[in-house]
Structure formats: structure tokens, C-alpha cells
């Protein structure tokens, strides 16, 4: 440290001079003595020199690095915030603004509640969020429930619109009827009469005049044309209007498959009704192909005989898997395809869309025979020869023996 010192070459001060100096110092410096001496001992600072260019560059680099680090940190925090929002659902779309996009068909299964329906709608991208739909449905239902069936809707609809589309009209203003596939005409009429309150006799009278609904002259009744499905008829609808709607649904489906001639439609429905009765859905096309093989002129395996138990049973007015030899030999039964070659006189039930499609587009197969060997699983075995077919019939008989009452 730099201290003031007495220069040896300088004459010494006298005591009086010292006293005067101290007196003057006390007068000139009223602050405490300790502060005075501390001030005397403080180092003298040299004037600040400008920073060198190298230091300036280093300082600039440190500043840039610091800014980059801060930007990276801010970006990381922002990304983490977005991830957190996604994790807790803040970014999820809970409703679409509408009006919706492409049309689609949504099926409400039998017994489905609001939760199951909402989950299905969300999975199909009809609504954005199932809970939003459930809330919208609850706001307008007033105790009403969505009826099972097929509904035309739009993808990405507002939840409120979807609820309106499914709940529809006040159920007190419509008659609901569920018509299953493979039902016969009389069974369908029973359902329609119960649903609408219209006497069964009115429907029977309409069936006696099938050409009034555009059916070809060879049609014996409305059998095969009463399309399966879920219906909501206006409570004021007449029996004629109801039947016309169901027949139209059938002919529309045939036209969709390219079949528009009334006589050809009748033929397709006749085969499709046999396919429906004889096979499980997975085998529709194969059975349809096998039927075509039996109907092919010159067929020596079956000589043009369809040999369908279902057609014979229909002609007898009963449902059974067991037919006697006498019943199979009865040529007076116009639906007896064991005794009479070719197709029966008409359809034997209401075929589904899938059975119609398979009949219009049958599989190209070499088979003439088929038999369902397990009625629980609908396992069906096909064969080209009668000898092979008999072995599969033996499997069916064995299954019937192990399951008493199932094959009656």
C-alpha cells in the first residue's frame, strides 16, 4: 500500500508546528480521527482505462450465449406447459362447431344407454366428446330414450345436433317397429299390427294384391319384400303407406346392386331368402354360388334339384329342421325343392341386405352340397360330391344326438 512518509531530507517540524498542524487539522476535519486516518490510508485509484477490443468481444460472446440459453429455457418451459395442458385435457376439443361433414350411418344397438351411444359416436368421429354428447342428450331427453336402429348422421357434428338426430320426434308421435331378418310375411304383419294398432287383417288384404306395390305378376304375395330394419312410422300412417315404405326399401337395395327389372328382382329375392335361411352370414356368398351350380343346366350331381329343407318347411307352414321322407316326396308343395326342380314359387322370408348382396355377387365355387354341422356355431361344410356330403350329414346327426331337442 502507498503510505505518506517523512522525507529524511526535509527539516523536522518543531513541536509548536506540530501542535498548530493538529489544531488546524481538527478545525478543518470535524469528523472522527479514525475516519480521517482511514481516509489517509485509502489507496489511490488510477484512472479507468478503456476496455480492449478482445475484452469487448468476450463480453459480447457471453451476452449472446446468455441470450441463447434464456431463449432455450423459455422454449422448454413453453413446450412443457403445452404438454401439461394436453395431459390434463385443456387442449382437447369437446365439441365441433358444425354443421358437420360427410354423411354416415350410425347404429344404436338394442339396449344401448347414453354412455355406450356417446362412446360409439366419439369413436366414429361423429361427436368430439362423449360426455358433451351425454350432457346435450340429457338436456333435451325429458325421460325419453334413444331407440335402437340405424340413423343417418354427419361426421363431426355438434353434440346438440347429434342428440336431436338420435332422439328425434316425440316417441308418442311415431310407431316403432323392429323387423328382424328371415321373418316370414305373417310374422312381420304381427309386429306391424302390434306396433301400429292397425288390424292384422288390413295387412293380409294388401298381401293379396302384390302387383299394387309394383311386384311382378309371378309374385304370390308380399313375401320377401318386407325389408328388415328399424322403422318409425307416423302414427297417422295407413297400412298401405307402411307396406309401401318397406317394399320401397327392398327395391331400392336391389337397384343399388344393379337389379332393376321386377322379374329379376323377384328371382334374386327368392334365392336370397334361401341363402338367408340356410347359411350363416360368413357363408352367404358360398351358399349362393352352390345354389347357382345346382340350377345350372346339365348339372348331373343334383339334376337341378335345390333340396332345401327350409323351402319345404316354408311350404308346410312350419319351422323345422326335421322333415319326413313323405314330406320331401310331396310334389304338391310348390316350395318342395326335393321333389320339384328349380327354384320354389317365391321367397320364403325377408332376406337381409347382406344376403341380397351375396346373391347378386355369388362366390365362384365348385360345390353342390352344404350342411351346417353345428347349429350353435353355424359351422357349415361344403362338398362337391354326394358321397362326401353324406359324411358331413353324419357329423350333423352326431351333433343332434349330443344336443337333444336342438334339431327339431
Amino acid at each position: 500500500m502507498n503510505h505518506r512518509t517523512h522525507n529524511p531530507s526535509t527539516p523536522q517540524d518543531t513541536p509548536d508546528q506540530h501542535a498548530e498542524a493538529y489544531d488546524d487539522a481538527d478545525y478543518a476535519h470535524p469528523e472522527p480521527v479514525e475516519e480521517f486516518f482511514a481516509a489517509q490510508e485509502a489507496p489511490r485509484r488510477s484512472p479507468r482505462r478503456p476496455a480492449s477490443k478482445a475484452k469487448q468481444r468476450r463480453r459480447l460472446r457471453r451476452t449472446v450465449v446468455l441470450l441463447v440459453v434464456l431463449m432455450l429455457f423459455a422454449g422448454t418451459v413453453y413446450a412443457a406447459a403445452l404438454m401439461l395442458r394436453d395431459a390434463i385435457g385443456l387442449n382437447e376439443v369437446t365439441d365441433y362447431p358444425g354443421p358437420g361433414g360427410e354423411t354416415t350411418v350410425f347404429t344404436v344397438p338394442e339396449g344401448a344407454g347414453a354412455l355406450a351411444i356417446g362412446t360409439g359416436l366419439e369413436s366414429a368421429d361423429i361427436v368430439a366428446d362423449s360426455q358433451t354428447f351425454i350432457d346435450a342428450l340429457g338436456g333435451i331427453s325429458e325421460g325419453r330414450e334413444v331407440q335402437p336402429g340405424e340413423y343417418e348422421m354427419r361426421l363431426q357434428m355438434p353434440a346438440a345436433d347429434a342428440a336431436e338426430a338420435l332422439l328425434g320426434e316425440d316417441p308418442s308421435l311415431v310407431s316403432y317397429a323392429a323387423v328382424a331378418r328371415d321373418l316370414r310375411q305373417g310374422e312381420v304383419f304381427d309386429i306391424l299390427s302390434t306396433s301400429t294398432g292397425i288390424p292384422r287383417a288390413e295387412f293380409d288384404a294388401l298381401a293379396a294384391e302384390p302387383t299394387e306395390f309394383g311386384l311382378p305378376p309371378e309374385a304370390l304375395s308380399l313375401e320377401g319384400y318386407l325389408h328388415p330394419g328399424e322403422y318409425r312410422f307416423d302414427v297417422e300412417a295407413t297400412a298401405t303407406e307402411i307396406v309401401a315404405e318397406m317394399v320401397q326399401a327392398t327395391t331400392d337395395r336391389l337397384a343399388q346392386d344393379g337389379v332393376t327389372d321386377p322379374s329379376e328382382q323377384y328371382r334374386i329375392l327368392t334365392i336370397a331368402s334361401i341363402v338367408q335361411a340356410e347359411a350363416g352370414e360368413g357363408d352367404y356368398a358360398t351358399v349362393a354360388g352352390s345354389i347357382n351350380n345346382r340350377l345350372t343346366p346339365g348339372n348331373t350331381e343334383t339334376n337341378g334339384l335345390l333340396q332345401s329343407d327350409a323351402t319345404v318347411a316354408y311350404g308346410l307352414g312350419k319351422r323345422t329342421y326335421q322333415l319326413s321322407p313323405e314330406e320331401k316326396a310331396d310334389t304338391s308343395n310348390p316350395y318342395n325343392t326335393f321333389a320339384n326342380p328349380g327354384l320354389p314359387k317365391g321367397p320364403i322370408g325377408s332376406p337381409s341386405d347382406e344376403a341380397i348382396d351375396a346373391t347378386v355377387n355369388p362366390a365362384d365355387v365348385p360345390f353342390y352340397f352344404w350342411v351346417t354341422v353345428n347349429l350353435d356355431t353355424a359351422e357349415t361344410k361344403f362338398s362337391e360330391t354326394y358321397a362326401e356330403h353324406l359324411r358331413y350329414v353324419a357329423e350333423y346327426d352326431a351333433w343332434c344326438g349330443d344336443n337333444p331337442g336342438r334339431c327339431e
Side-chain angles (χ1 to χ4, degrees):
M1 298 178 65
N2 295 321
H3 294 276
R4 289 180 179 270
T5 59
H6 294 287
N7 191 333
S9 62
T10 302
Q12 297 290 323
D13 295 329
T14 63
D16 292 339
Q17 291 174 324
H18 277 288
E20 293 174 358
Y22 280 111
D23 290 339
D24 292 339
D26 290 340
Y27 180 80
H29 302 283
E31 65 269 13
V33 175
E34 291 86 346
E35 292 183 17
F36 171 77
F37 282 108
Q40 296 301 314
E41 293 176 356
R44 294 185 179 180
R45 298 181 181 273
S46 59
R48 184 181 297 274
R49 291 178 297 178
S52 66
K53 292 183 177 181
K55 287 184 178 180
Q56 290 177 343
R57 287 195 296 271
R58 288 196 296 272
R59 189 176 295 119
L60 179 60
R61 283 198 298 269
R62 286 196 298 269
T63 302
V64 171
V65 169
L66 180 59
L67 289 174
V68 170
V69 170
L70 288 174
M71 290 175 65
L72 290 174
F73 176 75
T76 302
V77 171
Y78 179 71
L82 290 179
M83 292 176 63
L84 181 60
R85 286 173 63 86
D86 289 338
I88 63 177
L90 294 180
N91 277 345
E92 292 180 1
V93 177
T94 57
D95 203 4
Y96 290 124
E102 180 182 348
T103 59
T104 185
V105 174
F106 180 73
T107 301
V108 177
E110 189 77 36
L115 178 59
I117 295 171
T119 301
L121 289 171
E122 182 179 342
S123 298
D125 198 28
I126 294 173
V127 301
D129 178 69
S130 61
Q131 187 57 52
T132 304
F133 164 79
I134 293 171
D135 294 341
L137 185 68
I140 65 171
S141 64
E142 298 180 349
R144 293 176 290 164
E145 295 183 357
V146 176
Q147 297 296 327
E150 294 183 344
Y151 295 82
E152 184 175 294
M153 308 187 76
R154 291 184 178 275
L155 297 177
Q156 300 189 351
M157 297 176 66
D161 289 357
E164 286 281 0
L166 290 178
L167 204 57
E169 299 286 343
D170 186 333
S172 64
L173 302 179
V174 298
S175 299
Y176 172 75
V179 179
R181 60 182 65 186
D182 197 31
L183 292 184
R184 296 174 180 175
Q185 176 179 268
E187 295 168 328
V188 175
F189 287 164
D190 285 339
I191 293 172
L192 296 178
S193 180
T194 300
S195 171
T196 65
I198 298 174
R200 160 74 187 267
E202 291 190 31
F203 292 106
D204 289 330
L206 295 175
E209 300 291 340
T211 56
E212 296 296 319
F213 296 93
L215 275 62
E218 57 266 38
L220 302 177
S221 66
L222 294 171
E223 191 69 89
Y225 287 84
L226 302 173
H227 196 267
E230 308 279 343
Y231 293 92
R232 290 167 178 78
F233 302 113
D234 189 284
V235 291
E236 301 297 330
T238 65
T240 299
E241 291 170 337
I242 290 171
V243 168
E245 181 177 339
M246 300 181 77
V247 171
Q248 187 66 50
T250 297
T251 55
D252 284 348
R253 184 65 190 198
L254 288 162
Q256 184 177 328
D257 283 338
V259 184
T260 56
D261 178 72
S263 294
E264 179 62 10
Q265 289 181 339
Y266 190 73
R267 188 186 75 87
I268 290 294
L269 286 176
T270 300
I271 297 175
S273 67
I274 300 172
V275 169
Q276 183 75 71
E278 291 271 351
E281 187 170 330
D283 295 316
Y284 284 170
T286 304
V287 170
S290 300
I291 289 175
N292 282 351
N293 291 341
R294 283 174 169 257
L295 296 174
T296 300
N299 156 36
T300 58
E301 279 293 335
T302 63
N303 298 310
L305 295 171
L306 289 185
Q307 299 174 317
S308 166
D309 292 338
T311 64
V312 178
Y314 178 86
L316 295 172
K318 58 184 181 181
R319 288 185 179 273
T320 181
Y321 297 106
Q322 301 297 327
L323 297 170
S324 69
E326 293 75 22
E327 289 171 330
K328 292 183 178 181
D330 182 10
T331 58
S332 67
N333 180 349
Y335 292 88
N336 187 346
T337 54
F338 283 88
N340 303 309
L343 291 173
K345 291 298 182 180
I348 61 172
S350 298
S352 63
D353 289 342
E354 293 78 10
I356 293 173
D357 294 343
T359 301
V360 175
N361 302 285
D364 184 8
V365 293
F367 307 125
Y368 291 93
F369 305 92
W370 66 90
V371 59
T372 301
V373 298
N374 185 316
L375 300 185
D376 287 338
T377 64
E379 179 185 3
T380 301
K381 294 190 175 182
F382 298 85
S383 51
E384 298 180 47
T385 65
Y386 185 60
E388 183 181 15
H389 174 65
L390 289 178
R391 292 199 296 271
Y392 295 145
V393 170
E395 286 189 32
Y396 166 71
D397 290 337
W399 187 90
C400 291
D402 293 335
N403 297 270
R406 291 285 286 110
C407 301
E408 297 177 358

